[in-house]
Every structure is written in C-alpha cells, then in structure tokens.
PDB file of all heavy atoms in Angstrom:
ATOM      1  N   PHE A   1      -1.999   4.535 -14.044  1.00  0.00           N
ATOM      2  CA  PHE A   1      -1.223   5.719 -13.670  1.00  0.00           C
ATOM      3  C   PHE A   1      -0.412   5.445 -12.408  1.00  0.00           C
ATOM      4  O   PHE A   1       0.764   5.832 -12.307  1.00  0.00           O
ATOM      5  CB  PHE A   1      -2.159   6.912 -13.464  1.00  0.00           C
ATOM      6  CG  PHE A   1      -1.439   8.198 -13.146  1.00  0.00           C
ATOM      7  CD1 PHE A   1      -0.724   8.863 -14.125  1.00  0.00           C
ATOM      8  CD2 PHE A   1      -1.488   8.736 -11.870  1.00  0.00           C
ATOM      9  CE1 PHE A   1      -0.057  10.062 -13.837  1.00  0.00           C
ATOM     10  CE2 PHE A   1      -0.828   9.920 -11.563  1.00  0.00           C
ATOM     11  CZ  PHE A   1      -0.119  10.589 -12.555  1.00  0.00           C
ATOM     12  N   TYR A   2      -1.008   4.764 -11.453  1.00  0.00           N
ATOM     13  CA  TYR A   2      -0.303   4.426 -10.216  1.00  0.00           C
ATOM     14  C   TYR A   2       0.854   3.467 -10.486  1.00  0.00           C
ATOM     15  O   TYR A   2       1.924   3.565  -9.878  1.00  0.00           O
ATOM     16  CB  TYR A   2      -1.284   3.836  -9.192  1.00  0.00           C
ATOM     17  CG  TYR A   2      -1.767   4.865  -8.203  1.00  0.00           C
ATOM     18  CD1 TYR A   2      -2.827   5.709  -8.519  1.00  0.00           C
ATOM     19  CD2 TYR A   2      -1.160   5.012  -6.969  1.00  0.00           C
ATOM     20  CE1 TYR A   2      -3.266   6.674  -7.635  1.00  0.00           C
ATOM     21  CE2 TYR A   2      -1.587   5.974  -6.061  1.00  0.00           C
ATOM     22  CZ  TYR A   2      -2.634   6.805  -6.398  1.00  0.00           C
ATOM     23  OH  TYR A   2      -3.050   7.762  -5.520  1.00  0.00           O
ATOM     24  N   VAL A   3       0.658   2.525 -11.400  1.00  0.00           N
ATOM     25  CA  VAL A   3       1.743   1.607 -11.765  1.00  0.00           C
ATOM     26  C   VAL A   3       2.924   2.396 -12.330  1.00  0.00           C
ATOM     27  O   VAL A   3       4.094   2.121 -12.012  1.00  0.00           O
ATOM     28  CB  VAL A   3       1.241   0.552 -12.770  1.00  0.00           C
ATOM     29  CG1 VAL A   3       2.408  -0.228 -13.379  1.00  0.00           C
ATOM     30  CG2 VAL A   3       0.266  -0.409 -12.088  1.00  0.00           C
ATOM     31  N   LEU A   4       2.633   3.408 -13.146  1.00  0.00           N
ATOM     32  CA  LEU A   4       3.700   4.235 -13.707  1.00  0.00           C
ATOM     33  C   LEU A   4       4.418   5.035 -12.628  1.00  0.00           C
ATOM     34  O   LEU A   4       5.650   5.204 -12.683  1.00  0.00           O
ATOM     35  CB  LEU A   4       3.132   5.170 -14.778  1.00  0.00           C
ATOM     36  CG  LEU A   4       2.596   4.488 -16.041  1.00  0.00           C
ATOM     37  CD1 LEU A   4       1.864   5.499 -16.915  1.00  0.00           C
ATOM     38  CD2 LEU A   4       3.720   3.816 -16.823  1.00  0.00           C
ATOM     39  N   MET A   5       3.667   5.537 -11.643  1.00  0.00           N
ATOM     40  CA  MET A   5       4.310   6.245 -10.533  1.00  0.00           C
ATOM     41  C   MET A   5       5.263   5.320  -9.779  1.00  0.00           C
ATOM     42  O   MET A   5       6.385   5.704  -9.418  1.00  0.00           O
ATOM     43  CB  MET A   5       3.257   6.820  -9.575  1.00  0.00           C
ATOM     44  CG  MET A   5       2.544   8.041 -10.101  1.00  0.00           C
ATOM     45  SD  MET A   5       1.709   8.979  -8.782  1.00  0.00           S
ATOM     46  CE  MET A   5       0.358   7.880  -8.370  1.00  0.00           C
ATOM     47  N   ALA A   6       4.827   4.084  -9.553  1.00  0.00           N
ATOM     48  CA  ALA A   6       5.678   3.117  -8.856  1.00  0.00           C
ATOM     49  C   ALA A   6       6.890   2.740  -9.698  1.00  0.00           C
ATOM     50  O   ALA A   6       8.012   2.569  -9.179  1.00  0.00           O
ATOM     51  CB  ALA A   6       4.871   1.865  -8.500  1.00  0.00           C
ATOM     52  N   LEU A   7       6.692   2.606 -11.002  1.00  0.00           N
ATOM     53  CA  LEU A   7       7.804   2.291 -11.901  1.00  0.00           C
ATOM     54  C   LEU A   7       8.835   3.412 -11.884  1.00  0.00           C
ATOM     55  O   LEU A   7      10.046   3.148 -11.843  1.00  0.00           O
ATOM     56  CB  LEU A   7       7.276   2.071 -13.323  1.00  0.00           C
ATOM     57  CG  LEU A   7       8.333   1.939 -14.429  1.00  0.00           C
ATOM     58  CD1 LEU A   7       9.281   0.780 -14.158  1.00  0.00           C
ATOM     59  CD2 LEU A   7       7.658   1.791 -15.795  1.00  0.00           C
ATOM     60  N   ARG A   8       8.382   4.641 -11.918  1.00  0.00           N
ATOM     61  CA  ARG A   8       9.320   5.767 -11.878  1.00  0.00           C
ATOM     62  C   ARG A   8      10.143   5.746 -10.586  1.00  0.00           C
ATOM     63  O   ARG A   8      11.354   5.978 -10.608  1.00  0.00           O
ATOM     64  CB  ARG A   8       8.563   7.095 -12.012  1.00  0.00           C
ATOM     65  CG  ARG A   8       9.480   8.297 -12.142  1.00  0.00           C
ATOM     66  CD  ARG A   8       8.710   9.578 -12.403  1.00  0.00           C
ATOM     67  NE  ARG A   8       7.836   9.929 -11.297  1.00  0.00           N
ATOM     68  CZ  ARG A   8       7.116  11.049 -11.256  1.00  0.00           C
ATOM     69  NH1 ARG A   8       7.166  11.904 -12.280  1.00  0.00           N
ATOM     70  NH2 ARG A   8       6.335  11.324 -10.236  1.00  0.00           N
ATOM     71  N   ALA A   9       9.474   5.450  -9.463  1.00  0.00           N
ATOM     72  CA  ALA A   9      10.200   5.354  -8.192  1.00  0.00           C
ATOM     73  C   ALA A   9      11.224   4.215  -8.237  1.00  0.00           C
ATOM     74  O   ALA A   9      12.355   4.358  -7.736  1.00  0.00           O
ATOM     75  CB  ALA A   9       9.209   5.143  -7.050  1.00  0.00           C
ATOM     76  N   GLU A  10      10.850   3.086  -8.829  1.00  0.00           N
ATOM     77  CA  GLU A  10      11.767   1.952  -8.947  1.00  0.00           C
ATOM     78  C   GLU A  10      12.975   2.325  -9.806  1.00  0.00           C
ATOM     79  O   GLU A  10      14.127   1.976  -9.463  1.00  0.00           O
ATOM     80  CB  GLU A  10      11.025   0.766  -9.567  1.00  0.00           C
ATOM     81  CG  GLU A  10      11.871  -0.452  -9.867  1.00  0.00           C
ATOM     82  CD  GLU A  10      12.311  -1.232  -8.630  1.00  0.00           C
ATOM     83  OE1 GLU A  10      11.701  -1.033  -7.558  1.00  0.00           O
ATOM     84  OE2 GLU A  10      13.262  -2.031  -8.735  1.00  0.00           O
ATOM     85  N   LEU A  11      12.749   3.036 -10.898  1.00  0.00           N
ATOM     86  CA  LEU A  11      13.854   3.455 -11.766  1.00  0.00           C
ATOM     87  C   LEU A  11      14.753   4.477 -11.066  1.00  0.00           C
ATOM     88  O   LEU A  11      15.976   4.497 -11.301  1.00  0.00           O
ATOM     89  CB  LEU A  11      13.302   4.017 -13.074  1.00  0.00           C
ATOM     90  CG  LEU A  11      12.584   2.991 -13.974  1.00  0.00           C
ATOM     91  CD1 LEU A  11      11.904   3.681 -15.155  1.00  0.00           C
ATOM     92  CD2 LEU A  11      13.556   1.936 -14.477  1.00  0.00           C
ATOM     93  N   ARG A  12      14.169   5.318 -10.205  1.00  0.00           N
ATOM     94  CA  ARG A  12      14.992   6.237  -9.400  1.00  0.00           C
ATOM     95  C   ARG A  12      15.915   5.449  -8.482  1.00  0.00           C
ATOM     96  O   ARG A  12      17.101   5.751  -8.354  1.00  0.00           O
ATOM     97  CB  ARG A  12      14.108   7.169  -8.564  1.00  0.00           C
ATOM     98  CG  ARG A  12      13.613   8.381  -9.254  1.00  0.00           C
ATOM     99  CD  ARG A  12      13.201   9.490  -8.276  1.00  0.00           C
ATOM    100  NE  ARG A  12      12.406   9.009  -7.152  1.00  0.00           N
ATOM    101  CZ  ARG A  12      11.078   8.964  -7.145  1.00  0.00           C
ATOM    102  NH1 ARG A  12      10.411   9.352  -8.220  1.00  0.00           N
ATOM    103  NH2 ARG A  12      10.418   8.536  -6.088  1.00  0.00           N
ATOM    104  N   GLU A  13      15.339   4.437  -7.810  1.00  0.00           N
ATOM    105  CA  GLU A  13      16.136   3.612  -6.899  1.00  0.00           C
ATOM    106  C   GLU A  13      17.277   2.916  -7.623  1.00  0.00           C
ATOM    107  O   GLU A  13      18.352   2.702  -7.063  1.00  0.00           O
ATOM    108  CB  GLU A  13      15.244   2.567  -6.208  1.00  0.00           C
ATOM    109  CG  GLU A  13      14.315   3.134  -5.155  1.00  0.00           C
ATOM    110  CD  GLU A  13      13.484   2.045  -4.485  1.00  0.00           C
ATOM    111  OE1 GLU A  13      13.875   0.857  -4.581  1.00  0.00           O
ATOM    112  OE2 GLU A  13      12.454   2.390  -3.881  1.00  0.00           O
ATOM    113  N   ARG A  14      17.050   2.590  -8.883  1.00  0.00           N
ATOM    114  CA  ARG A  14      18.080   1.904  -9.666  1.00  0.00           C
ATOM    115  C   ARG A  14      19.087   2.873 -10.277  1.00  0.00           C
ATOM    116  O   ARG A  14      20.012   2.463 -10.977  1.00  0.00           O
ATOM    117  CB  ARG A  14      17.426   1.064 -10.774  1.00  0.00           C
ATOM    118  CG  ARG A  14      16.546  -0.057 -10.251  1.00  0.00           C
ATOM    119  CD  ARG A  14      16.046  -0.947 -11.382  1.00  0.00           C
ATOM    120  NE  ARG A  14      15.161  -1.999 -10.887  1.00  0.00           N
ATOM    121  CZ  ARG A  14      14.838  -3.099 -11.568  1.00  0.00           C
ATOM    122  NH1 ARG A  14      15.349  -3.294 -12.784  1.00  0.00           N
ATOM    123  NH2 ARG A  14      14.029  -4.000 -11.049  1.00  0.00           N
ATOM    124  N   GLY A  15      18.879   4.175 -10.036  1.00  0.00           N
ATOM    125  CA  GLY A  15      19.840   5.171 -10.510  1.00  0.00           C
ATOM    126  C   GLY A  15      19.681   5.558 -11.964  1.00  0.00           C
ATOM    127  O   GLY A  15      20.562   6.197 -12.545  1.00  0.00           O
ATOM    128  N   VAL A  16      18.531   5.192 -12.576  1.00  0.00           N
ATOM    129  CA  VAL A  16      18.310   5.550 -13.986  1.00  0.00           C
ATOM    130  C   VAL A  16      18.178   7.063 -14.133  1.00  0.00           C
ATOM    131  O   VAL A  16      18.632   7.653 -15.106  1.00  0.00           O
ATOM    132  CB  VAL A  16      17.067   4.822 -14.535  1.00  0.00           C
ATOM    133  CG1 VAL A  16      16.766   5.251 -15.963  1.00  0.00           C
ATOM    134  CG2 VAL A  16      17.270   3.314 -14.458  1.00  0.00           C
ATOM    135  N   PHE A  17      17.550   7.687 -13.147  1.00  0.00           N
ATOM    136  CA  PHE A  17      17.470   9.138 -13.071  1.00  0.00           C
ATOM    137  C   PHE A  17      17.198   9.525 -11.627  1.00  0.00           C
ATOM    138  O   PHE A  17      16.935   8.656 -10.771  1.00  0.00           O
ATOM    139  CB  PHE A  17      16.394   9.728 -13.995  1.00  0.00           C
ATOM    140  CG  PHE A  17      15.135   8.895 -14.107  1.00  0.00           C
ATOM    141  CD1 PHE A  17      14.307   8.682 -13.002  1.00  0.00           C
ATOM    142  CD2 PHE A  17      14.773   8.316 -15.308  1.00  0.00           C
ATOM    143  CE1 PHE A  17      13.156   7.939 -13.096  1.00  0.00           C
ATOM    144  CE2 PHE A  17      13.617   7.549 -15.409  1.00  0.00           C
ATOM    145  CZ  PHE A  17      12.816   7.362 -14.321  1.00  0.00           C
ATOM    146  N   ASP A  18      17.285  10.810 -11.315  1.00  0.00           N
ATOM    147  CA  ASP A  18      16.976  11.275  -9.963  1.00  0.00           C
ATOM    148  C   ASP A  18      15.742  12.168 -10.021  1.00  0.00           C
ATOM    149  O   ASP A  18      15.143  12.351 -11.082  1.00  0.00           O
ATOM    150  CB  ASP A  18      18.171  12.003  -9.336  1.00  0.00           C
ATOM    151  CG  ASP A  18      18.634  13.192 -10.179  1.00  0.00           C
ATOM    152  OD1 ASP A  18      17.796  13.773 -10.908  1.00  0.00           O
ATOM    153  OD2 ASP A  18      19.829  13.539 -10.113  1.00  0.00           O
ATOM    154  N   LYS A  19      15.388  12.760  -8.875  1.00  0.00           N
ATOM    155  CA  LYS A  19      14.156  13.555  -8.830  1.00  0.00           C
ATOM    156  C   LYS A  19      14.228  14.755  -9.767  1.00  0.00           C
ATOM    157  O   LYS A  19      13.201  15.205 -10.284  1.00  0.00           O
ATOM    158  CB  LYS A  19      13.878  14.016  -7.400  1.00  0.00           C
ATOM    159  CG  LYS A  19      13.314  12.922  -6.511  1.00  0.00           C
ATOM    160  CD  LYS A  19      12.435  13.499  -5.426  1.00  0.00           C
ATOM    161  CE  LYS A  19      11.666  12.378  -4.721  1.00  0.00           C
ATOM    162  NZ  LYS A  19      10.693  12.896  -3.760  1.00  0.00           N
ATOM    163  N   ALA A  20      15.443  15.270  -9.982  1.00  0.00           N
ATOM    164  CA  ALA A  20      15.585  16.453 -10.841  1.00  0.00           C
ATOM    165  C   ALA A  20      15.456  16.100 -12.322  1.00  0.00           C
ATOM    166  O   ALA A  20      14.971  16.905 -13.122  1.00  0.00           O
ATOM    167  CB  ALA A  20      16.923  17.129 -10.574  1.00  0.00           C
ATOM    168  N   THR A  21      15.889  14.895 -12.679  1.00  0.00           N
ATOM    169  CA  THR A  21      15.920  14.531 -14.104  1.00  0.00           C
ATOM    170  C   THR A  21      14.815  13.568 -14.513  1.00  0.00           C
ATOM    171  O   THR A  21      14.689  13.237 -15.691  1.00  0.00           O
ATOM    172  CB  THR A  21      17.286  13.902 -14.453  1.00  0.00           C
ATOM    173  OG1 THR A  21      17.465  12.709 -13.667  1.00  0.00           O
ATOM    174  CG2 THR A  21      18.416  14.875 -14.173  1.00  0.00           C
ATOM    175  N   GLN A  22      14.021  13.089 -13.554  1.00  0.00           N
ATOM    176  CA  GLN A  22      13.000  12.096 -13.883  1.00  0.00           C
ATOM    177  C   GLN A  22      11.926  12.679 -14.786  1.00  0.00           C
ATOM    178  O   GLN A  22      11.603  13.865 -14.711  1.00  0.00           O
ATOM    179  CB  GLN A  22      12.361  11.544 -12.606  1.00  0.00           C
ATOM    180  CG  GLN A  22      11.500  12.550 -11.859  1.00  0.00           C
ATOM    181  CD  GLN A  22      10.914  11.988 -10.571  1.00  0.00           C
ATOM    182  OE1 GLN A  22      11.266  10.904 -10.145  1.00  0.00           O
ATOM    183  NE2 GLN A  22      10.023  12.735  -9.950  1.00  0.00           N
ATOM    184  N   PRO A  23      11.363  11.853 -15.685  1.00  0.00           N
ATOM    185  CA  PRO A  23      10.280  12.341 -16.561  1.00  0.00           C
ATOM    186  C   PRO A  23       9.049  12.730 -15.751  1.00  0.00           C
ATOM    187  O   PRO A  23       8.763  12.138 -14.705  1.00  0.00           O
ATOM    188  CB  PRO A  23       9.977  11.127 -17.450  1.00  0.00           C
ATOM    189  CG  PRO A  23      11.173  10.244 -17.347  1.00  0.00           C
ATOM    190  CD  PRO A  23      11.732  10.458 -15.980  1.00  0.00           C
ATOM    191  N   LYS A  24       8.337  13.724 -16.231  1.00  0.00           N
ATOM    192  CA  LYS A  24       7.103  14.165 -15.566  1.00  0.00           C
ATOM    193  C   LYS A  24       5.926  13.327 -16.065  1.00  0.00           C
ATOM    194  O   LYS A  24       5.767  13.135 -17.274  1.00  0.00           O
ATOM    195  CB  LYS A  24       6.850  15.642 -15.839  1.00  0.00           C
ATOM    196  CG  LYS A  24       7.871  16.578 -15.202  1.00  0.00           C
ATOM    197  CD  LYS A  24       7.457  18.021 -15.395  1.00  0.00           C
ATOM    198  CE  LYS A  24       8.470  18.973 -14.777  1.00  0.00           C
ATOM    199  NZ  LYS A  24       8.598  18.779 -13.321  1.00  0.00           N
ATOM    200  N   LEU A  25       5.122  12.830 -15.135  1.00  0.00           N
ATOM    201  CA  LEU A  25       3.937  12.053 -15.492  1.00  0.00           C
ATOM    202  C   LEU A  25       2.669  12.916 -15.518  1.00  0.00           C
ATOM    203  O   LEU A  25       1.613  12.462 -15.966  1.00  0.00           O
ATOM    204  CB  LEU A  25       3.746  10.901 -14.501  1.00  0.00           C
ATOM    205  CG  LEU A  25       4.872   9.856 -14.469  1.00  0.00           C
ATOM    206  CD1 LEU A  25       4.581   8.807 -13.399  1.00  0.00           C
ATOM    207  CD2 LEU A  25       5.059   9.197 -15.833  1.00  0.00           C
ATOM    208  N   GLU A  26       2.781  14.179 -15.062  1.00  0.00           N
ATOM    209  CA  GLU A  26       1.607  15.046 -15.010  1.00  0.00           C
ATOM    210  C   GLU A  26       0.915  15.233 -16.360  1.00  0.00           C
ATOM    211  O   GLU A  26      -0.315  15.384 -16.401  1.00  0.00           O
ATOM    212  CB  GLU A  26       1.986  16.424 -14.437  1.00  0.00           C
ATOM    213  CG  GLU A  26       2.271  16.421 -12.952  1.00  0.00           C
ATOM    214  CD  GLU A  26       3.726  16.097 -12.632  1.00  0.00           C
ATOM    215  OE1 GLU A  26       4.411  15.497 -13.485  1.00  0.00           O
ATOM    216  OE2 GLU A  26       4.169  16.439 -11.531  1.00  0.00           O
ATOM    217  N   PRO A  27       1.648  15.230 -17.507  1.00  0.00           N
ATOM    218  CA  PRO A  27       0.950  15.369 -18.792  1.00  0.00           C
ATOM    219  C   PRO A  27      -0.061  14.259 -19.079  1.00  0.00           C
ATOM    220  O   PRO A  27      -0.899  14.405 -19.967  1.00  0.00           O
ATOM    221  CB  PRO A  27       2.099  15.341 -19.811  1.00  0.00           C
ATOM    222  CG  PRO A  27       3.285  15.857 -19.064  1.00  0.00           C
ATOM    223  CD  PRO A  27       3.121  15.316 -17.678  1.00  0.00           C
TER     224      PRO A  27
END
C-alpha cells in the first residue's frame, strides 16, 4: 500500500494527474 502511495506521488510529479484528479487509494 505504501509503494502505491509513493507511485501516485511520483505520477503527480510527472504531471500524469494532479491532487484533484488523482485516483483514490482509500478503497
């Protein structure tokens, strides 16, 4: 789960999505 959180942050940095459009990992 932590690896996925870090991956999401990395994809944000790369401009794949922003905080508003990023997928939710809470499910």
Side-chain angles (χ1 to χ4, degrees):
F1 183 72
Y2 263 83
V3 168
L4 294 171
M5 285 198 289
L7 171 59
R8 187 175 64 176
E10 175 72 17
L11 293 172
R12 276 201 315 268
E13 287 181 18
R14 297 186 182 197
V16 176
F17 37 65
D18 57 27
K19 283 209 169 186
T21 61
Q22 69 182 9
K24 293 186 181 298
L25 297 177
E26 288 88 339

